[in-house]
């Protein structure tokens, strides 16, 4: 014999009820069944509403009743053929009329006691079980309905009655000893006291009904049919990678249920636990799924069975010097809470006995504080203890598993994983059984924490990176193309899952928490919302995703000035924008400090040399104890392209035009030609070398005429290049006369730095630097006779995007 319980979602409407009937019809071929039925989904709450309205003398209770009636009659209409429909409607209507009479009585005498409440709420299960039993008879001829109130005997503690176990077991065994029905349908939740009054079994009462029946009859199995495919490793709506647990112990299931796994009501387990009757959690809508089997003991490799959580938690702290070494404070605290019906979800106490901290539901805070202040009024008045401290908007996350006690380091892994992602822990509790490790965190961090812990304990160590890209011009476009092309490769070879969650240009922003479809990102961005820096940051912060990375692919000063806001939120920053790292030294150091404090990497490899590993190489030198003594470098691919192509056959004006057309300069070429960009780059290298310098310390020997710098527009600037053509020809002629090439060079030696045009002779490493290439020559205390040389393409959207992508990948591997 098997006992099957179907929850409210499983019987919410005619379509779902047909699925239930098919399940019963299939299982009845192999064994005798008991089917425990909940009220139609949501009806219990509506019944309670109707009773409260009637008690408040609000005639709207009649409208609510009409909605209840319509819901049940619509279900009958859809389930039954015409030739029997009339009889079913007649019986359902009669039951509903009895409900209406009771509601009218409540309205007239203003009485909605717990006893009356049980009577009203019982109609949900009475109606659903009758309708389903009659529908089942169309498919299983010997199916029958049995009123659970005739079997389950309780005391008169209405709304949460206590079972009279001996009498209940006698009733159940006696009835089913003679019953030959292949399927017996019983209403869940309801029961009866010794004088025949209807009682209910409290929250989760239908589960409890099923467990009582299974225990009394020594059933082969108790099946709980619901709308999910078992108990999950974490809440599947919050953790997309969560999966059903195949097998779990009674104790583990009770822990998960206590901490929010709603598919099972904890008291349900006790009646079957004593008999070692397995419980199977199944999905009504996907009956072929295996579900979760709950058994006495389980032996598996992974000591963690699930990660659960409980929201709407508040922490109450009782502390004071007067508590130290004085017995009785704990007893008084818990007694005061107990007498006021307040459940404690978590307890922690310092070994100094200076404080006791308890976690309770947010809804109980006011009542709890009043009760404790009343209990400890004298102690507070005499300054033995402080007034109760309250912290709200918290949640509990818990690792659960029977085998944790035999595995070292689990709590360390849990807390380090949370800490690395800046999830602050307010309190910790772990029992001696080590079946549960609980941490209290901010409610806003629940989703992030669950995903972090699930990744750490259940997933092949895939590192998911959530990218927020600002700037989708030339470089941004190329970066998105590169990510789209390499996503699967990175997952397959490096277990790196890169998702672009947010995109923004100067006007629009678009977010998709599951990841932007990169094959249609332009269309998605066009459908986005207006963008400001503040709303952009607020949206990223609200998503609160682990491993979030902000990519700045702009040259915008306001964007650069916002980096601190990301770092303070533990969001990594990857930037090709040079403004932040070349701003005043105190800001540069502050960003470095914030990065370290909030464990949020700040990477800017593309600030110097685009995709070349210049900064990374320099960092390795410095971190290994080497010291830079001099630097000589061509750091502008744009300027190198211009001076490599400037000759007697082409004017300087035309060369600059060509460079801009091929994407080697900014829209305003003066940003490149002024030398300021190169000065910023050498400044960044010097700062990364450990020197405290500002942009004013870099000597800039500008080659552009002042008129070119002062031009009011880009077009006007180009006109000045024509006007001063002789100036540029003279620069070229002077270099040619010395058999040298013109190169725009950044140089550091003897503690000072400068940028400007230099004549480079044949044989020098800079002489044959082609196209848009960059070169950096480091002399260090170790690289004395032969300098360290880094050379390659230093401009262009493709290589810059590649450098940004490299920073992102390095974050995943760090």
């Amino acid at each position: 014999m098997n006992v099957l319980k179907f929850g409210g979602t499983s019987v919410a409407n005619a379509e779902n009820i047909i699925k239930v009937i098919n399940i019963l019809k299939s299982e009845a071929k192999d064994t005798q069944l008991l089917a425990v039925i909940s009220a139609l989904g949501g009806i219990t709450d509506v019944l309670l509403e109707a009773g409260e309205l009637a008690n408040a003398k609000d005639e709207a209770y009649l409208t609510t009743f009409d909605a209840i009636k319509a819901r049940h009659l619509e279900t009958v209409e859809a389930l039954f053929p015409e030739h029997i429909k009339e009889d079913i409607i007649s019986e359902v209507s009669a039951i509903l009329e009895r409900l209406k009479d009771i509601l009218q009585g409540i309205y007239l005498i203003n009485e909605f006691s717990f006893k009356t409440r049980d009577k009203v709420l019982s109609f949900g299960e009475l109606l659903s079980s009758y309708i389903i039993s009659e529908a089942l008879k169309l498919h299983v001829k010997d199916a029958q309905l049995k009123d659970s109130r005739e079997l389950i005997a309780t005391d008169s503690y209405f709304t949460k009655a206590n079972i009279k176990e001996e009498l209940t077991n006698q009733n159940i065994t006696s009835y089913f000893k003679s019953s030959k029905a292949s399927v017996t349908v019983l209403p869940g939740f309801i029961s009866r006291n010794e004088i025949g009054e209807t009682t209910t079994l409290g929250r989760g009462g239908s589960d409890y009904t099923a467990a009582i029946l299974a225990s009394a009859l020594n059933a082969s199995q108790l099946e709980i049919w619901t709308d999910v495919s078992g108990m999950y490793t974490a809440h599947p709506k919050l953790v997309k990678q969560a999966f059903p647990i195949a097998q779990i112990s009674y104790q583990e299931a009770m822990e998960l249920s206590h901490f929010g796994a709603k598919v099972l009501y904890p008291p349900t387990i006790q009646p079957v636990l004593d008999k070692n009757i397995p419980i199977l959690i199944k999905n009504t809508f996907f009956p072929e799924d295996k579900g979760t089997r709950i058994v006495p003991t389980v032996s598996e490799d992974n000591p963690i069975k699930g990660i659960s959580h409980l929201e709407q938690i508040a922490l109450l702290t009782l502390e004071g010097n007067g508590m130290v070494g004085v017995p009785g404070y704990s007893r008084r605290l818990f007694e005061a809470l107990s007498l006021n019906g307040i459940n404690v979800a978590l307890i922690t106490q310092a070994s100094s006995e200076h404080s006791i901290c308890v976690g309770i539901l947010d809804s109980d805070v006011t009542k709890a504080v009043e009760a404790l202040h009343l209990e400890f009024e004298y102690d507070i008045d005499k300054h033995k203890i402080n007034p109760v401290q309250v912290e709200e908007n918290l949640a509990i996350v818990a690792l659960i598993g029977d085998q944790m006690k035999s595995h070292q380091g689990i709590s360390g892994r849990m807390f380090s994983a949370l800490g690395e992602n800046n999830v602050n822990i307010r309190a910790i509790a772990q029992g001696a059984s080590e079946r549960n490790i609980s941490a209290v965190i901010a409610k806003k961090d629940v989703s992030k924490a669950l995903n972090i812990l699930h990744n750490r304990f259940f997933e092949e160590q895939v590192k998911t990176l959530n990218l927020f890209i600002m700037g989708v011009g030339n470089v941004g476009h190329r970066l998105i193309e590169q990510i789209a092309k390499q996503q699967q490769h990175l997952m397959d070879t490096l277990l790196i899952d890169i998702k672009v969650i947010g995109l923004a240009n100067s006007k629009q922003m678009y977010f998709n928490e599951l990841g932007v479809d990169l094959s249609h990102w332009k269309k998605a961005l066009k459908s986005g919302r207006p963008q400001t820096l503040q709303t952009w940051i607020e949206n990223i912060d609200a998503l609160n995703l682990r491993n979030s990375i902000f990519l700045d692919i702009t040259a915008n000063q306001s964007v650069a000035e916002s980096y601190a806001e990301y770092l303070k939120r533990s969001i990594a920053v990857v930037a090709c924008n040079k403004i932040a790292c070349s701003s005043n030294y105190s800001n540069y150091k502050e960003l470095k400090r914030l990065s370290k404090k909030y464990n949020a990497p700040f990477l800017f490899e593309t600030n110097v040399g685009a995709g070349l590993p210049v900064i990374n190489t320099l960092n390795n030198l410095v971190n290994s104890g080497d010291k830079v003594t001099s630097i000589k470098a061509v750091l502008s691919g744009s300027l190198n392209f211009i001076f490599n192509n400037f000759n007697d056959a082409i004017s300087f004006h035309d060369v600059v035009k060509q460079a801009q057309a091929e994407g080697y300069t900014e829209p305003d070429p003066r940003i490149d030609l002024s030398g300021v960009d190169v000065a910023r780059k050498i400044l960044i290298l010097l700062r990364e070398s450990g020197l405290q310098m500002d942009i004013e310390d870099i000597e800039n020997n500008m080659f552009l005429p002042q008129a070119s710098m002062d031009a009011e527009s880009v077009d006007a600037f180009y006109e000045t290049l024509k006007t001063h053509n002789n100036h540029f020809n003279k620069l070229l002629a002077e270099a040619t006369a010395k058999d040298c090439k013109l190169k725009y060079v950044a140089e550091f030696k003897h503690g000072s730095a400068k940028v400007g045009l230099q004549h480079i002779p044949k044989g020098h490493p800079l002489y044959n630097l082609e196209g848009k290439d960059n070169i950096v020559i480091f002399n260090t205390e170790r690289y004395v006779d032969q300098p360290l040389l880094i050379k390659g393409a230093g401009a262009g959207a493709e290589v810059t995007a590649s450098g940004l992508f490299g920073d992102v990948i390095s974050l995943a591997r760090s």
Side-chain angles (χ1 to χ4, degrees):
M1 177 180 286
N2 285 351
V3 178
L4 292 76
K5 176 261 176 179
F6 293 92
T9 53
S10 296
V11 296
N13 50 47
E15 181 183 355
N16 293 1
I17 290 171
I18 290 169
K19 296 180 189 298
V20 169
I21 289 170
N22 288 334
I23 290 166
L24 292 171
K25 186 168 64 171
S26 174
E27 291 206 19
K29 295 175 183 176
D30 302 319
T31 186
Q32 191 176 4
L33 304 180
L34 276 64
V36 176
I37 305 298
S38 297
L40 304 189
I43 283 294
T44 302
D45 289 338
V46 183
L47 285 164
L48 182 59
E49 180 187 350
E52 289 173 341
L53 287 170
N55 189 47
K57 289 285 188 180
D58 188 337
E59 292 188 358
Y61 84 88
L62 291 171
T63 304
T64 305
F65 169 78
D66 288 340
I68 294 169
K69 181 176 182 178
R71 175 94 177 271
H72 288 88
L73 292 180
E74 284 169 9
T75 303
V76 172
E77 286 284 347
L79 277 176
F80 294 94
E82 291 296 333
H83 69 280
I84 61 169
K85 188 181 296 182
E86 188 175 334
D87 292 340
I88 307 299
I89 290 175
S90 176
E91 180 60 27
V92 168
S93 297
I95 297 172
L96 287 164
E97 281 302 311
R98 292 200 295 274
L99 169 62
K100 187 176 182 180
D101 289 343
I102 294 170
L103 291 172
Q104 188 175 12
I106 296 169
Y107 179 82
L108 292 172
I109 65 173
N110 285 112
E111 188 274 318
F112 196 40
S113 64
F114 282 172
K115 181 165 81 170
T116 307
R117 186 178 305 241
D118 275 358
K119 189 173 291 188
V120 169
L121 297 187
S122 70
F123 279 89
E125 275 71 15
L126 290 172
L127 284 162
S128 63
S129 59
Y130 170 73
I131 292 169
I132 291 170
S133 66
E134 292 300 315
L136 181 62
K137 289 175 184 177
L138 300 175
H139 305 273
V140 180
K141 297 302 181 186
D142 63 343
Q144 65 180 27
L145 173 67
K146 179 63 177 175
D147 190 337
S148 302
R149 294 176 297 182
E150 297 173 6
L151 303 176
I152 299 177
T154 70
D155 61 14
S156 297
Y157 193 83
F158 296 100
T159 74
K160 196 175 181 181
N162 298 298
I163 301 295
K164 293 191 172 183
E165 192 172 334
E166 186 175 339
L167 179 56
T168 295
N169 287 345
Q170 182 182 325
N171 291 341
I172 293 170
T173 53
S174 173
Y175 175 78
F176 283 102
K177 195 172 187 179
S178 59
S179 173
K180 303 300 181 184
S182 57
V183 182
T184 302
V185 176
L186 304 102
F189 180 58
I190 60 175
S191 46
R192 187 175 282 163
N193 66 12
E194 62 275 9
I195 59 174
E197 296 171 318
T198 296
T199 57
T200 63
L201 301 178
R203 174 177 165 267
S206 292
D207 286 358
Y208 201 13
T209 301
I212 293 165
L213 291 164
S215 175
L217 296 170
N218 293 309
S220 304
Q221 183 168 267
L222 168 59
E223 298 177 15
I224 306 292
W225 289 81
T226 181
D227 57 356
V228 291
S229 297
M231 301 186 84
Y232 277 69
T233 49
H235 195 307
K237 289 184 179 177
L238 298 178
V239 181
K240 302 303 180 186
Q241 291 78 22
F243 54 88
I245 305 166
Q247 197 158 258
I248 190 171
S249 74
Y250 291 133
Q251 288 76 17
E252 289 167 332
M254 289 182 78
E255 291 280 2
L256 280 172
S257 298
H258 174 70
F259 280 98
K262 304 298 184 186
V263 297
L264 195 66
Y265 182 51
T268 297
I269 298 174
Q270 195 59 50
V272 294
L273 187 147
D274 296 335
K275 298 283 188 74
N276 286 341
I277 297 170
I279 302 173
L280 184 62
I281 312 294
K282 291 280 284 180
N283 191 334
T284 304
F285 309 102
F286 298 96
E288 67 280 0
D289 290 355
K290 290 184 178 180
T292 297
R293 190 171 175 82
I294 305 173
V295 293
T297 57
V298 178
S299 178
E300 287 188 9
D301 293 335
N302 190 348
I304 309 299
K305 273 294 162 45
I307 306 158
S308 199
H309 73 286
L310 200 59
E311 295 186 22
Q312 279 80 45
I313 290 294
L315 278 182
L316 304 185
T317 302
L318 190 71
E319 68 177 359
N321 295 327
M323 294 171 59
V324 179
V326 178
Y329 275 99
S330 297
R331 176 193 61 77
R332 291 170 62 194
L333 184 149
F334 295 117
E335 189 173 75
L337 295 176
S338 175
L339 290 173
N340 284 273
I342 298 166
N343 186 50
V344 175
L346 176 141
I347 305 165
T348 181
Q349 180 174 12
S351 59
S352 66
E353 300 182 29
H354 180 262
S355 66
I356 306 170
C357 186
V358 297
I360 65 172
L361 291 176
D362 276 343
S363 56
D364 288 332
V365 166
T366 302
K367 185 166 55 170
V369 171
E370 290 175 355
L372 294 179
H373 280 167
L374 182 64
E375 173 63 33
F376 294 102
E377 183 177 14
Y378 175 81
D379 306 78
I380 294 171
D381 185 57
K382 294 299 181 183
H383 303 290
K384 292 183 177 182
I385 63 172
N386 304 325
V388 176
Q389 299 174 35
V390 180
E391 293 179 73
E392 297 184 83
N393 296 315
L394 302 175
I396 298 173
V397 291
L399 285 187
I400 290 161
D402 281 341
Q403 304 303 315
M404 291 197 298
K405 56 183 173 290
S406 58
H407 288 72
Q408 294 180 339
I410 288 176
S411 58
R413 289 168 64 196
M414 175 183 180
F415 300 132
S416 65
L418 294 174
E420 286 165 7
N421 287 273
N422 205 39
V423 175
N424 189 38
I425 297 171
R426 295 295 305 116
I428 298 167
Q430 180 175 11
S433 68
E434 296 186 39
R435 184 175 290 122
N436 178 321
I437 305 173
S438 299
V440 179
I441 63 172
K443 181 181 174 182
K444 69 180 179 63
D445 287 331
V446 164
S447 178
K448 179 196 269 188
L450 292 175
N451 279 276
I452 289 165
L453 295 175
H454 197 274
N455 176 264
R456 181 62 61 94
F457 290 102
F458 287 103
E459 300 167 30
E460 187 177 18
Q461 288 305 293
V462 173
K463 188 71 170 283
T464 299
L465 303 181
N466 297 298
L467 274 51
F468 299 87
I469 299 174
M470 177 166 281
V472 290
N474 224 0
V475 176
H477 190 161
R478 297 293 188 280
L479 175 62
I480 293 169
E481 286 181 343
Q482 291 177 13
I483 293 171
K485 182 179 178 182
Q486 292 299 110
Q487 271 179 321
Q488 193 58 51
H489 170 78
L490 290 172
M491 175 62 83
D492 294 341
T493 59
L494 299 178
L495 296 177
I496 298 173
D497 181 18
I498 293 182
K499 295 179 179 178
V500 177
I501 305 298
L503 290 169
N505 57 26
S506 60
K507 296 179 180 179
Q508 296 282 110
M509 63 182 181
Y510 174 79
F511 294 92
N512 185 330
E513 189 174 351
L514 300 178
V516 178
D517 180 354
L518 297 185
S519 60
H520 298 96
W521 68 268
K522 291 182 183 178
K523 182 179 178 182
L525 183 55
K526 283 182 180 178
S527 70
R529 292 167 282 160
Q531 182 265 123
T532 66
L533 281 179
Q534 191 58 38
T535 56
W536 167 257
I537 293 172
E538 286 172 357
N539 275 273
I540 296 173
D541 188 43
L543 285 169
N544 200 22
L545 299 175
R546 63 194 174 105
N547 301 328
S548 291
I549 304 171
F550 168 62
L551 285 93
D552 178 11
I553 317 179
T554 74
N556 185 286
Q557 179 148 349
S558 296
V559 175
E561 289 171 352
S562 69
Y563 292 174
E565 295 301 314
Y566 298 97
L567 299 174
K568 288 175 183 177
R569 292 169 167 82
S570 295
I571 298 168
V573 175
V574 172
C576 65
N577 186 341
K578 292 175 280 293
I579 293 174
C581 288
S582 60
S583 61
N584 62 71
Y585 184 77
S586 60
N587 183 61
Y588 164 82
K589 290 299 289 182
E590 175 64 5
L591 293 176
K592 290 278 191 172
R593 186 189 71 81
L594 292 174
S595 172
K596 184 176 181 181
K597 178 179 179 180
Y598 294 100
N599 195 34
F602 175 34
L603 301 182
F604 42 89
E605 180 66 72
T606 52
N607 276 197
V608 181
L612 296 177
V614 178
I615 292 175
N616 187 51
T617 301
L618 176 58
N619 288 337
N620 288 338
L621 289 173
V622 173
N623 292 334
S624 67
D626 203 354
K627 183 178 180 182
V628 173
T629 55
S630 71
I631 301 172
K632 193 158 189 173
V634 171
L635 295 174
S636 172
S638 309
L639 286 168
N640 196 47
F641 176 89
I642 289 168
F643 284 108
N644 276 336
N645 288 278
F646 179 37
N647 55 54
D648 294 336
I650 185 170
S651 70
F652 191 76
H653 168 277
D654 291 346
V655 172
V656 176
K657 273 285 189 182
Q658 181 186 350
Q660 186 182 35
E662 295 189 25
Y664 298 141
T665 73
E666 297 293 334
D668 185 344
R670 284 173 292 183
I671 295 172
D672 302 286
L673 274 65
S674 66
V676 172
D677 190 58
V678 176
R680 286 172 174 166
K681 292 177 179 177
I682 189 71
L683 175 64
I684 292 167
L685 290 182
L686 295 175
R687 287 176 170 178
E688 290 295 288
S689 301
L691 297 176
Q692 182 174 334
M693 298 184 77
D694 276 303
I695 195 72
E696 295 79 14
D697 301 319
I698 312 296
E699 180 185 344
N700 186 352
N701 299 311
M702 202 175 300
F703 71 89
L704 282 179
Q706 192 61 42
S708 298
M709 292 302 299
D710 293 341
E712 294 182 355
S713 66
V714 173
D715 289 340
F717 159 74
Y718 274 115
E719 286 302 315
T720 67
L721 298 188
K722 292 178 181 178
T723 305
H724 292 82
N725 187 54
N726 289 338
H727 167 75
F728 300 112
N729 288 339
K730 183 180 178 182
L731 294 174
L732 178 62
E734 288 173 352
T736 304
K738 295 178 182 179
D739 202 18
C740 292
K741 286 186 177 181
L742 283 172
K743 298 290 181 184
Y744 199 89
V745 179
E747 191 169 14
F748 166 75
K749 62 181 178 181
H750 307 309
S752 63
K754 65 180 180 180
V755 299
L757 276 178
Q758 292 188 17
H759 296 158
I760 305 299
K762 288 182 179 178
H764 193 282
L766 304 185
Y767 185 85
N768 290 317
L769 193 65
E770 299 297 332
K772 59 184 183 296
D773 285 0
N774 280 193
I775 187 170
V776 183
I777 302 170
F778 288 116
N779 280 98
T780 72
E781 291 179 346
R782 294 174 186 163
Y783 289 87
V784 180
D785 299 325
Q786 292 293 327
L788 175 62
L789 187 149
I790 302 168
K791 178 181 176 183
E798 203 70 49
V799 293
T800 305
S802 179
L804 289 164
F805 202 177
D807 273 350
V808 170
I809 293 171
S810 70
L811 283 177
R813 304 184 74 176
S814 64

